[in-house]
Amino acid sequence: MSAHDVTIYWRPGCGFCASLRAALGPDAGRAQWRNIWEDPEAAATVRDLNDGNELVPTVVIDGVGYSNPDPALVHEALLE
């Protein structure tokens, strides 16, 4: 597992989410993935971080939220 706590909030059909997963490649499994359509707590977290919007992917790295971040940022956190 990653030395960092990485949670990726996503939803089915989201092209940006699919692109992030593809960019992370085999390291995607190092993150915790939470589907906001199946997890009301995850959806609430995303709304809290995005001014009430369910913007995905939203990534939380060590408690800091990033909306649709550069995959390189996420990948670096997963590998450190």
Side-chain angles (χ1 to χ4, degrees):
M1 288 300 290
S2 168
H4 295 278
D5 181 23
V6 179
T7 302
I8 301 172
Y9 297 91
W10 70 286
R11 66 167 174 76
C14 169
F16 293 109
C17 300
S19 293
L20 176 59
R21 186 181 287 272
L24 297 176
D27 296 316
R30 294 175 174 256
Q32 178 184 16
W33 291 77
R34 294 182 66 184
N35 180 345
I36 67 166
W37 283 358
E38 294 180 351
D39 183 341
E41 182 181 309
T45 297
V46 169
R47 287 192 301 271
D48 287 345
L49 293 170
N50 293 292
D51 298 320
N53 297 305
E54 290 187 352
L55 180 82
V56 288
T58 293
V59 179
V60 176
I61 301 170
D62 294 333
V64 179
Y66 301 89
S67 302
N68 197 17
D70 184 323
L73 173 78
V74 181
H75 200 231
E76 182 178 320
L78 291 173
L79 295 179
E80 288 182 348

